[in-house]
Amino acid sequence: MAVIIPATRFAPPLNRPFHHRSSLASLHCSSRNFLFLGKSTPSSTIVAVRCQKPVSDGISSMESMNHVSSSIDFLTLCHRLKTTKRKGWINQGINGPESIADHMYRMALMALIAGDLTGVDRERCIKMAIVHDIAEAIVGDITPSDGVPKEEKSRREKAALKEMCEVLGGGLRAEEITELWLEYENNASLEANIVKDFDKVEMILQALEYEAEHGKVLDEFFISTAGKFQTEIGKSWAAEINARRKSQLTNRQR
């Protein structure tokens, strides 16, 4: 008959949070920590577990609290992306147009569903789509009709991005957002080329949908993007949208 050594119950001190881990391995426990006598095969009941003291992740409670506060401040600022409507559609008299966040979300979906592309980092494309217009949370949606020079628009957005990263509290995530934004702004990689194309593709797809919903003809969005796609996927998706538009306009005239 097996003799069982009763397990001692352990509970984290009330003044210290208990850190959960995703697996038993991370608790630094081994099979010899399970105490059984009289049988070589343990029963289904775990009798006693002795683990090392959880390893500190190097972040103090105060630093953790500050990070949480900064994160919520940043997300609250990004709320403006959900409520700020895209000005190009407002200028066309579209009732209840999409927001900046709507536009970026569908771009991220484009990056997600695009077929495998040689040498392309899909995850980076998704991230870039999510952040490429993030500075508009502060500066708003500046369009060509506003008459703001390209250099001035870029200066305002860079300043806004810097402010947003300060709100976030700096650190690796802020650095990553800045790097992604600058890469897109400077069209400095194949991923940036693709996301730039997705920006235009999403716009003309939205224009096609608004033409169908509101009975409008939104030529300027198709004219302004014609011949400006840099990648094969951008060109093929734009061609499909334009073909559907041609059919849609033809059916409307009947």
Side-chain angles (χ1 to χ4, degrees):
M1 179 177 180
V3 179
I4 300 176
I5 299 175
T8 302
R9 294 183 177 272
F10 294 96
L14 295 177
N15 62 348
R16 180 163 61 93
F18 182 78
H19 296 283
H20 295 280
R21 293 292 185 262
S22 61
S23 68
L24 287 175
S26 65
L27 290 172
H28 305 287
C29 301
S30 66
S31 59
R32 65 175 174 272
N33 294 136
F34 297 88
L35 306 183
F36 301 92
L37 295 176
K39 288 186 178 180
S40 59
T41 303
S43 67
S44 60
T45 303
I46 296 177
V47 179
V49 180
R50 292 178 298 181
C51 301
Q52 297 177 7
K53 182 179 179 180
V55 178
S56 171
D57 57 8
I59 301 176
S60 69
S61 297
M62 184 59 70
E63 289 174 329
S64 179
M65 289 175 61
N66 288 340
H67 176 69
V68 169
S69 180
S70 296
S71 297
I72 299 303
D73 287 343
F74 176 80
L75 294 172
T76 299
L77 179 54
C78 288
H79 173 69
R80 297 179 188 176
L81 297 169
K82 297 171 65 176
T83 58
T84 303
K85 305 302 182 182
R86 298 252 286 167
K87 193 177 293 181
W89 309 125
I90 294 175
N91 293 343
Q92 290 293 326
I94 301 297
N95 184 37
E98 65 168 352
S99 68
I100 297 167
D102 292 333
H103 168 65
M104 294 195 295
Y105 175 72
R106 186 152 65 172
M107 283 178 61
L109 286 179
M110 290 176 177
L112 179 64
I113 69 170
D116 292 335
L117 303 172
T118 303
V120 175
D121 185 336
R122 181 191 307 276
E123 182 179 337
R124 192 166 187 81
C125 288
I126 294 171
K127 289 180 178 181
M128 196 177 293
I130 292 171
V131 306
H132 83 285
D133 277 342
I134 199 168
E136 293 181 10
I138 292 177
V139 302
D141 183 21
I142 301 173
T143 66
S145 64
D146 294 317
V148 178
K150 184 177 180 179
E151 296 76 13
E152 173 61 15
K153 178 178 182 290
S154 181
R155 185 198 67 76
R156 293 183 191 180
E157 291 181 343
K158 285 179 181 177
L161 182 69
K162 180 180 178 181
E163 181 180 340
M164 293 184 75
C165 288
E166 288 172 353
V167 170
L168 184 56
L172 293 177
R173 295 290 75 80
E175 291 174 7
E176 182 180 27
I177 290 171
T178 300
E179 180 182 302
L180 289 164
W181 188 89
L182 287 172
E183 186 177 322
Y184 175 86
E185 181 74 1
N186 296 324
N187 203 19
S189 66
L190 179 55
E191 287 79 12
N193 298 161
I194 290 172
V195 179
K196 286 273 188 181
D197 276 4
F198 286 163
D199 184 45
K200 299 179 183 69
V201 168
E202 203 289 322
M203 183 179 71
I204 62 173
L205 178 56
Q206 187 63 75
L208 175 68
E209 292 161 349
Y210 283 152
E211 284 185 334
E213 291 172 15
H214 299 276
K216 290 178 174 289
V217 176
L218 302 171
D219 285 334
E220 69 175 77
F221 299 96
F222 297 91
I223 293 171
S224 66
T225 57
K228 293 184 179 180
F229 295 94
Q230 307 172 78
T231 65
E232 289 306 311
I233 189 170
K235 292 173 183 177
S236 63
W237 285 13
E240 175 65 19
I241 292 169
N242 276 287
R244 294 188 181 199
R245 182 179 188 242
K246 182 177 180 180
S247 176
Q248 182 172 284
L249 291 176
T250 298
N251 291 335
R252 187 189 299 181
Q253 292 171 356
R254 290 176 180 172

